[in-house]
Amino acid sequence: MMRTRNIVSGTASTEPNSVEYSGKTAAPAGRKFKPLTLPQILRRNSKSNTNITAPDVPNTSSVITAPLEELLTFEQNLERNHLSAAGQQLIEREERLYGQISEEVVQSTTEREEEKEQLTRDHKALLSQIDLAVKSSLSPDEDSLEALKSAVKAIQQEEEQDRQWLKQEGKRPDWRPSECRRHHNTVLQSLVEERMDNAELPPEESNKLRSSLQRDVCGKGRRLQEDLLRVVKDVKGCYPEDMDICNFFGKMYHQAFSAGMRKIEEYGLGMDDCSYLLYWVNVAYPEILQNPELTKVINPEMFGKLLTEELTTPLENQCLTHKEAEVQTLINKVLMVEEQAWMEGSVPELRDDCYFSPLAIDVIQFINAAVKSIETVWGDTSKVQIIVCLLKDFLNSYKKFQEKVLKGSNNGNSRTVIMAILACVEQFRDYIVNKADIFPVDVKECCLSIVAEMKNIGYTSLTSPIHKDLKSQYSGLGTPVWLEKKKEVFEKLFEGINKHTQDLKGLTDSCHQELLSQLHLEVTVEYVRRLLKRKIKLRDKEMQEQAARLLCEDGQRLHKLFTEAGSREEWLSDILPKIAEVLKLQDISSIQLEIVTLSQAYPDLSEFQVSALLSLKSNLSASAVKRVKKTLLDNQDTTSSQDAPSFFSKVQVR
């Protein structure tokens, strides 16, 4: 028996020789043979082609009872990629040569040096074979994966042997510590870099991309995705959990991809390539790492961004500046074409009996396309505000064009152009409301304000000629003739309004409704304004009741006319009846109550307007009028509703 130092465990132990010589005849009793060391046995058996050790069996003492023909030499284990078994054989030889304390074996210095040199060569051969197995780790065949499993075990054995030697004193092999794990990592890094450098797309996919840069980036991204999925599916099972091989591969691929991106970024990029590069940095690459199969074992937060903000910021500015200038040019050209057509006297196209202009559709499409492009490149809406803010300046320019059309109203096409503008303004309003989340709040409010103003100007330009034509019919309202001839004055006004409502054609349904609603309001305001001009004196109860009846009848007919034509201003039906009620009442307390009720419904009712209304009741004393006005002032501030519609503020009374 030999006494040897157990290097792996770090303790001295007495154990049988791992392999003892077996001849065909037993040794005579009491005779001792010189024990053979493992290297001697290996050399002897390599000549006779007799196997010595079983593959991947850590306890070499079991070889004593194993059938001789089933055992493998170091060379055979190496050849068959039984790297763990081959590594264990070398560790045992290493222990015998560098850690042996023998009282029975005395070897010559020359013989031991020869064995050490052979061990060094064999150790290099093992590391080379481990390298090959690691380099083949991404190969899909089963043999490569089995070789990798054995290589990983051999690496762990080498790492443990390094740790044991660090605990020992005395001479150790020149290759200790072998740092096999660190070398393994270096080999994998080189493998990843090589695979990323040589990544290519299939021809059918490559042809779909516009430039060699895009093909290069997409090819690298595809290789990264496929290889990481293979690591998770196949390679992961060849490594122990503590090596965290999936995150290691993820980091290596991230670094290789990032390095490739940085090289590309150093060159001047065209707009398409700049956008494509940002798309991969912000969207495509993060989406790859969010694959459910990868997120189970890979933590992308450990890797950081593909490119730093220092590198992406200039690219982003380049992309946004170009996109902004592009959209600005396009929408300005659209407006210029529209203005040119108006100046040339062109009448807008008639579609479904509505005057149509493609301006709003074109502008919205250009803005939308830019917004979607930026969303695609950045993966969110954080950068789109630079584009949507262009709409504010455009609407201001569009409003100036509208004003120019109105000043040139003598042009035969101005009225139809205004109708087309109103349809466009409606489309802009809907877009701003529906896309409110991408607008800065102040820009959104400003755009909606411009749109509302353009609508009001447009509708007013269409209703003003109507009021001008009805001026003579308006003039009879609130006069003695109106009261004496009863329905005759209003009948003429009614017929004129009806004719004009029939002639309001060429607008979209919604614009037509809004226009009629505005006309409904303006006619009602004009009716009340004429009444409050105080051209009639209602001297007694009978005249006041007669005037009240006329107001109610006129109010009902007006409301029916406009609502049937399309007005949605239902609340206007109460205006004339409420005024009629004030005229009809005779009791001061009742009048006070009715005035308070009127002011609650319409908080913009003024003291001056109440005075004008009460002055129609010429039988009302000055003190009574004063009491009513005081009641109004006492209750107006406490009872008014903020949601009440505005009406009396539009009634100008002198």
Side-chain angles (χ1 to χ4, degrees):
M1 302 295 290
M2 297 177 59
R3 182 177 180 83
T4 62
R5 178 177 297 167
N6 190 331
I7 299 298
V8 175
S9 63
T11 59
S13 64
T14 303
E15 58 181 16
N17 213 8
S18 294
V19 179
E20 293 193 10
Y21 174 76
S22 290
K24 291 185 179 180
T25 59
R31 184 177 176 182
K32 294 184 178 179
F33 288 91
K34 179 181 178 181
L36 295 178
T37 63
L38 186 59
Q40 291 173 316
I41 296 175
L42 289 173
R43 286 197 297 274
R44 175 181 296 180
N45 283 282
S46 64
K47 294 178 181 179
S48 61
N49 293 323
T50 304
N51 298 328
I52 301 299
T53 59
D56 290 341
V57 180
N59 185 4
T60 55
S61 63
S62 62
V63 175
I64 298 173
T65 59
L68 198 58
E69 62 271 20
E70 295 179 2
L71 305 177
L72 301 177
T73 64
F74 167 76
E75 289 81 0
Q76 290 169 328
N77 276 326
L78 207 61
E79 182 181 353
R80 300 182 188 188
N81 276 325
H82 299 160
L83 305 181
S84 176
Q88 186 62 38
Q89 288 174 323
L90 295 188
I91 288 173
E92 291 175 356
R93 287 165 59 187
E94 179 184 336
E95 290 176 355
R96 293 179 187 279
L97 286 172
Y98 289 92
Q100 175 177 276
I101 303 175
S102 175
E103 298 174 354
E104 302 181 21
V105 179
V106 179
Q107 291 178 301
S108 68
T109 302
T110 301
E111 185 179 18
R112 290 180 63 83
E113 289 304 316
E114 288 177 355
E115 290 183 13
K116 288 182 179 180
E117 290 175 3
Q118 182 61 42
L119 180 59
T120 299
R121 289 192 291 272
D122 289 346
H123 190 264
K124 288 182 179 179
L126 173 66
L127 294 184
S128 296
Q129 201 64 20
I130 289 175
D131 283 358
L132 291 176
V134 172
K135 288 177 181 178
S136 302
S137 59
L138 294 175
S139 300
D141 59 281
E142 190 64 30
D143 289 343
S144 296
L145 293 177
E146 288 300 321
L148 180 61
K149 286 181 183 179
S150 188
V152 171
K153 291 180 182 178
I155 291 170
Q156 290 180 289
Q157 292 168 183
E158 285 292 302
E159 288 290 293
E160 177 61 24
Q161 192 71 355
D162 282 349
R163 287 191 289 271
Q164 295 301 327
W165 271 113
L166 291 175
K167 297 177 183 178
Q168 304 295 327
E169 296 180 357
K171 184 172 177 59
R172 57 191 177 194
D174 293 339
W175 65 81
R176 293 294 177 198
S178 65
E179 297 184 329
C180 204
R181 171 82 172 268
R182 186 163 66 91
H183 183 69
H184 156 272
N185 293 349
T186 302
V187 171
L188 275 187
Q189 183 176 358
S190 298
L191 170 66
V192 168
E193 291 173 353
E194 180 181 356
R195 289 181 67 81
M196 291 291 280
D197 288 341
N198 298 328
E200 292 183 355
L201 289 172
E204 62 273 12
E205 295 185 30
S206 178
N207 294 335
K208 297 177 183 178
L209 298 174
R210 297 182 179 181
S211 68
S212 58
L213 180 145
Q214 294 179 18
R215 288 188 283 272
D216 182 48
V217 171
C218 188
K220 284 179 167 59
R222 176 71 63 83
R223 172 57 55 82
L224 178 146
Q225 181 182 35
E226 292 174 350
D227 284 0
L228 287 184
L229 287 171
R230 186 175 299 161
V231 167
V232 172
K233 180 182 177 183
D234 299 325
V235 178
K236 175 175 173 285
C238 300
Y239 285 82
E241 289 187 11
D242 65 318
M243 290 189 74
D244 197 15
I245 195 62
C246 293
N247 274 312
F248 179 80
F249 264 106
K251 184 178 181 181
M252 292 300 101
Y253 273 100
H254 175 84
Q255 291 176 347
F257 200 13
S258 179
M261 288 286 202
R262 289 196 299 274
K263 288 180 182 178
I264 292 171
E265 190 269 341
E266 291 174 359
Y267 301 98
L269 300 179
M271 190 57 214
D272 286 343
D273 288 343
C274 179
S275 296
Y276 193 78
L277 193 66
L278 288 172
Y279 164 73
W280 268 94
V281 170
N282 296 318
V283 181
Y285 179 61
E287 283 182 354
I288 288 175
L289 297 183
Q290 290 304 316
N291 183 306
E293 293 299 314
L294 299 182
T295 54
K296 294 177 183 177
V297 289
I298 293 178
N299 179 14
E301 294 182 1
M302 296 170 56
F303 310 151
K305 293 202 69 173
L306 202 55
L307 290 179
T308 63
E309 288 188 9
E310 182 181 357
L311 295 176
T312 58
T313 298
L315 296 177
E316 291 175 351
N317 291 338
Q318 176 187 344
C319 183
L320 290 172
T321 301
H322 177 89
K323 191 64 66 177
E324 180 185 19
E326 182 182 52
V327 173
Q328 185 75 69
T329 300
L330 290 170
I331 62 179
N332 286 346
K333 185 176 181 180
V334 169
L335 183 56
M336 185 174 64
V337 170
E338 191 81 358
E339 187 169 352
Q340 186 66 31
W342 168 71
M343 292 175 64
E344 292 174 355
S346 298
V347 176
E349 179 185 353
L350 202 61
R351 290 188 183 180
D352 298 326
D353 298 325
C354 302
Y355 290 105
F356 168 81
S357 167
L359 179 140
I361 293 176
D362 290 344
V363 169
I364 290 171
Q365 283 182 344
F366 291 141
I367 291 177
N368 255 347
V371 166
K372 288 180 180 178
S373 174
I374 292 173
E375 286 178 344
T376 299
V377 169
W378 271 265
D380 55 41
T381 60
S382 61
K383 302 292 183 179
V384 303
Q385 294 184 351
I386 192 173
I387 301 299
V388 297
C389 285
L390 295 175
L391 186 58
K392 181 181 73 172
D393 293 335
F394 175 82
L395 288 175
N396 276 320
S397 299
Y398 196 30
K399 181 172 174 285
K400 290 178 182 178
F401 168 64
Q402 183 190 40
E403 292 168 351
K404 190 182 296 186
V405 172
L406 292 174
K407 288 179 181 178
S409 58
N410 293 331
N411 293 14
N413 62 344
S414 290
R415 187 171 186 272
T416 57
V417 169
I418 290 296
M419 289 185 174
I421 289 175
L422 285 168
C424 288
V425 167
E426 181 182 40
Q427 291 172 318
F428 283 127
R429 178 194 61 191
D430 292 343
Y431 177 74
I432 296 166
V433 171
N434 293 333
K435 295 286 187 177
D437 57 315
I438 65 174
F439 283 84
V441 175
D442 59 329
V443 174
K444 180 192 72 174
E445 296 301 327
C446 183
C447 288
L448 289 176
S449 176
I450 297 171
V451 164
E453 192 174 353
M454 289 185 70
K455 282 174 56 182
N456 184 59
I457 292 173
Y459 291 142
T460 300
S461 72
L462 295 176
T463 60
S464 292
I466 297 175
H467 295 305
K468 185 176 181 180
D469 185 63
L470 295 174
K471 186 175 181 180
S472 61
Q473 288 92 320
Y474 284 136
S475 63
L477 296 174
T479 65
V481 176
W482 165 70
L483 190 63
E484 291 169 5
K485 295 188 177 182
K486 299 183 179 179
K487 298 181 180 180
E488 184 177 332
V489 172
F490 179 76
E491 194 65 37
K492 291 180 180 179
L493 175 63
F494 183 86
E495 290 175 358
I497 294 172
N498 188 40
K499 179 179 178 298
H500 282 293
T501 57
Q502 298 297 323
D503 292 341
L504 288 175
K505 297 178 181 179
L507 291 167
T508 63
D509 289 344
S510 56
C511 286
H512 188 258
Q513 288 179 1
E514 289 183 353
L515 177 61
L516 284 169
S517 295
Q518 179 162 325
L519 183 59
H520 186 185
L521 174 61
E522 290 174 354
V523 168
T524 307
V525 166
E526 183 63 17
Y527 192 115
V528 174
R529 189 182 76 83
R530 293 283 177 171
L531 182 66
L532 298 185
K533 290 183 75 173
R534 294 168 282 194
K535 290 185 176 182
I536 187 173
K537 297 295 182 180
L538 305 175
R539 293 184 296 274
D540 52 35
K541 177 181 178 182
E542 182 180 352
M543 291 182 68
Q544 292 169 15
E545 289 180 347
Q546 183 182 355
R549 284 194 299 273
L550 281 176
L551 279 174
C552 290
E553 291 172 3
D554 292 353
Q556 289 175 0
R557 293 189 68 190
L558 277 178
H559 184 72
K560 183 178 180 182
L561 169 65
F562 279 109
T563 53
E564 287 182 352
S567 171
R568 294 294 180 265
E569 304 297 331
E570 295 287 342
W571 63 278
L572 289 173
S573 63
D574 295 332
I575 298 289
L576 296 183
K578 286 182 181 296
I579 294 175
E581 190 66 21
V582 175
L583 295 179
K584 183 176 67 173
L585 294 172
Q586 301 300 310
D587 179 66
I588 295 300
S589 298
S590 298
I591 294 174
Q592 287 177 302
L593 180 60
E594 191 61 34
I595 289 294
V596 169
T597 302
L598 188 63
S599 69
Q600 289 176 343
Y602 310 104
D604 56 346
L605 177 66
S606 70
E607 179 185 359
F608 191 70
Q609 289 165 336
V610 171
S611 294
L613 176 57
L614 295 178
S615 68
L616 298 177
K617 299 167 69 72
S618 58
N619 61 343
L620 203 61
S621 66
S623 61
V625 171
K626 188 175 181 180
R627 285 172 55 192
V628 173
K629 291 196 310 184
K630 185 177 185 304
T631 303
L632 170 69
L633 296 175
D634 290 343
N635 290 275
Q636 202 166 31
D637 294 336
T638 59
T639 60
S640 61
S641 171
Q642 295 181 351
D643 298 328
S646 173
F647 177 82
F648 283 96
S649 58
K650 297 176 173 62
V651 179
Q652 301 299 317
V653 178
R654 296 177 182 177

